[in-house]
Amino acid sequence: AMAQDKFKIGLILPMTGPFASTGKQIEAAARLYIAQNGDMVAGKKVELIVKDDTSAADVTKRLAQEMVVNEKVSVLAGFGLTPLAFATAPIATQSKTPMVVMAAATSAITQASPFIVRTSFTLPQAAVAIADWAPNNGIKKVVTLVSDYGPGIDAEKFFKDRLLFNGGQVLDSLRVPMRNPDFAPFLQKVRDLKPDAVYVFVPSGAGAALMKQFAERGMDKAGIKLIGTGDITDDDILNSMGDVANGVVTSHHYSASHNSALNKKFVAAFEKANNGLRPNFMAVGGYDGMRVIYEAAKASKGAGGEALLDAMKGQVFESPRGPMFIDAQTRDVVHNIYIRKVEKVGGQLFNQEFATIKDVKDPGKSR
Ligand code: DHB
């Protein structure tokens, strides 16, 4: 087919390095979406171009530039970490190319370019929900422990403000390096402060190391609970965490055990296509991002640029996570946030949803 007969999607992801699980989940989800929905859209052949940015922001930006200039992609997509999305935003703006953020979750990302649309989530959405749950469930004194970059700082701030508003107390706020974190000295500090709970944000993939050290330091035996956003009990690795994860309560927009016909179908198809790999919230961000791209391409009849962008705004649909929409003003995702507890189901650990906060907009946007 000739160039103009193709609809190219430039998918830039960390496929190697410490955040490779994010890339693997999103690529698998995008390929599943294409397998289920066909590789023709608006009369054009869909071409998915996947590039590994190794989670280095300068590489993400260079790859995006090449995709726009050389490949003439209609849309940029992926963005496994906040700094990678921020680095690429000027390319989207300058080239008028829609940029679908499928993973990164710092609130301010959508404000970095009018061409950004987000299908992942925001940390403030998740953080506020668990800060409402905690004080009603015996957790009044908390130490926060977050990865020291955008989403961690959002997770800390929005949790803290809401917990204080609800009459709780934050005894200390600890930040650990984002790359190669050693949690031990921070967990020791938490132990010494004797809070009711430690509230944690670490990016997808880092939760297992935190859990292991939490158990090794006997935090649970010292009576300190672990709570957090759902990034910590990430479905990609939850089942390998062992008993320490059992009973942990988190807030998030997606669980692989979400009880809907659509999700059951999604999980079964994803596992079948990927040697039994369980989809996590990254996979769902990628799958829904493809949905937004396909439907926008159809509605704008294969046009790119602003027409494609406009057709992404305001989309309302059922996701494997539950109902969601793209807020037309903010271009950010609106969806339910669920409170979940890790439980054993059929011998496997799952995040079992037990309460729902409906249609949550990003609390970061109203400030
Ligand atoms: C981000 C990355 C993650 O892996 C995650 O779980 C949440 C946020 C980020 O960099 O924005």
Side-chain angles (χ1 to χ4, degrees), residues 10-26:
L11 186 61
I12 312 176
L13 294 165
M15 299 304 300
T16 54
F19 302 101
S21 66
T22 294
K24 184 177 182 184
Q25 287 270 351
I26 293 177

Side-chain angles (χ1 to χ4, degrees), residues 80-82 104-106 121 123 149 151 201 203-204 231 281-282:
L81 294 166
T82 285
T106 299
F121 73 109
L123 263 306
Y149 77 119
F201 166 81
S204 181
D231 311 77
F281 59 96
M282 294 301 186

Side-chain angles (χ1 to χ4, degrees), residues 164-225:
L164 297 186
F165 175 81
N166 287 332
Q169 240 182 300
V170 172
L171 303 181
D172 205 350
S173 289
L174 312 176
R175 296 178 181 177
V176 307
M178 181 230 183
R179 289 181 194 268
N180 307 311
D182 175 10
F183 298 110
F186 297 95
L187 290 173
Q188 188 55 49
K189 185 121 196 250
V190 172
R191 246 198 107 136
D192 295 344
L193 289 162
K194 296 190 177 50
D196 299 323
V198 57
Y199 160 84
V200 178
F201 166 81
V202 291
S204 181
L210 183 277
M211 283 289 180
K212 188 163 170 281
Q213 294 192 13
F214 186 86
E216 279 168 8
R217 314 228 126 226
M219 307 285 288
D220 41 351
K221 291 183 190 71
I224 300 169
K225 290 202 169 69

